[in-house]
Amino acid sequence: MTARSSLPRTYRISPGRITGVLVATGLALPAALIPILADDLMPGWAKGLTVALLLAFVGWMVFAARHLSTSADLKGIRVRGYVRDRRIAWEDIQDIRAVPNPGAGMARGAPDTISYAYRRDGRRLQLFYVDDNHVRVDQEIGALRAAWEELRGEGWSEDAEAVRSIDRRQAREEAATTALSWSIMSVLGFIVLAVALLLTDSLFLGLHWFFAGPVLVFLAVWLVGRYRSR
């Protein structure tokens, strides 16, 4: 299959996920609005303004979910973002990669893998919906890379400095993700240790030091990762 036969390709949020967004919004809105409307101490104008801002924000979130998209054609890749559209020509792309999502553990239902197109200067452009929630990432990245390799032109050459910049950035993000995972896992350990020391009257440090423990674990693991990625 050639690039001409595999293009254009378009990636949007699936109808099922849009329905999920609408249902979740419908369930969450009353829970957010009732305390505001029931607050007798809040002036009427403040209630009205708060409700209007909340509804505007929710409406914008639903609009953004439907508006965001990624498409690829014979000229390059186009990404419709939150505010503006951006296009990058095939010859200006340095690489296309699928990478672990640093925010995967922060939001329920967030994809584990997301994708980027990297410019010649090392800057990156997220390819919305080219993720493991919506597509088979390996298959789609393979198709996009095949199109890029065919359409980037004979004069294209790899920029060694850009590749190093991309690799360093990915290594830093992986170090931060690893550090966050270790920090979260250490929370239970520090809680168990603090309780055990309290029960045996052996607590030799203030409890605030045990709450600071996960932060210290994060910093230690992150610094080691940064050092290794240099």
Side-chain angles (χ1 to χ4, degrees):
M1 180 183 293
T2 64
R4 294 182 183 276
S5 62
S6 66
L7 298 176
R9 306 177 84 87
T10 301
Y11 308 92
R12 300 180 183 274
I13 190 171
S14 63
R17 289 192 174 274
I18 278 289
T19 302
V21 169
L22 293 174
V23 170
T25 300
L27 294 175
L29 263 180
L33 291 175
I34 289 174
I36 296 173
L37 297 175
D39 189 347
D40 295 331
L41 299 178
M42 182 180 290
W45 66 267
K47 288 184 180 180
L49 179 61
T50 304
V51 170
L53 290 174
L54 181 60
L55 292 175
F57 175 74
V58 170
W60 179 80
M61 289 293 292
V62 174
F63 167 78
R66 294 179 61 89
H67 179 77
L68 297 176
S69 69
T70 298
S71 58
D73 56 28
L74 294 176
K75 294 182 179 180
I77 294 177
R78 177 191 179 194
V79 175
R80 297 181 67 181
Y82 291 101
V83 179
R84 62 190 178 95
D85 295 358
R86 287 177 289 180
R87 175 179 283 277
I88 179 171
W90 293 116
E91 60 268 24
D92 294 328
I93 294 176
Q94 184 62 43
D95 203 354
I96 301 174
R97 297 185 183 184
V99 301
N101 180 13
M106 304 297 180
R108 184 177 181 183
D112 293 323
T113 304
I114 55 179
S115 304
Y116 291 99
Y118 296 84
R119 302 177 185 273
R120 284 186 172 272
D121 58 5
R123 291 184 301 163
R124 65 186 185 180
L125 181 63
Q126 184 176 349
L127 307 180
F128 293 118
Y129 301 129
V130 186
D131 59 53
D132 59 350
N133 276 353
H134 294 85
V135 298
R136 294 181 178 178
V137 179
D138 291 343
Q139 177 179 316
E140 293 305 319
I141 290 296
L144 291 174
R145 288 185 62 88
W148 166 54
E149 290 168 1
E150 180 179 337
L151 297 172
R152 65 193 181 188
E154 296 181 358
W156 185 92
S157 61
E158 183 178 84
D159 186 323
E161 182 57 35
V163 172
R164 285 193 293 270
S165 175
I166 293 168
D167 289 339
R168 284 196 299 267
R169 182 170 189 170
Q170 184 170 339
R172 288 196 299 268
E173 289 189 348
E174 290 176 354
T177 302
T178 301
L180 182 60
S181 298
W182 276 94
S183 178
I184 292 172
M185 288 188 295
S186 73
V187 170
L188 180 59
F190 280 106
I191 291 175
V192 171
L193 177 60
V195 171
L197 292 175
L198 279 171
L199 293 176
T200 58
D201 293 325
S202 302
L203 191 64
F204 54 89
L205 290 173
L207 285 176
H208 61 280
W209 284 104
F210 292 92
F211 291 112
V215 177
L216 297 177
V217 170
F218 175 88
L219 290 174
V221 176
W222 178 70
L223 289 172
V224 170
R226 286 295 300 268
Y227 177 78
R228 290 179 175 176
S229 65
R230 292 174 60 183

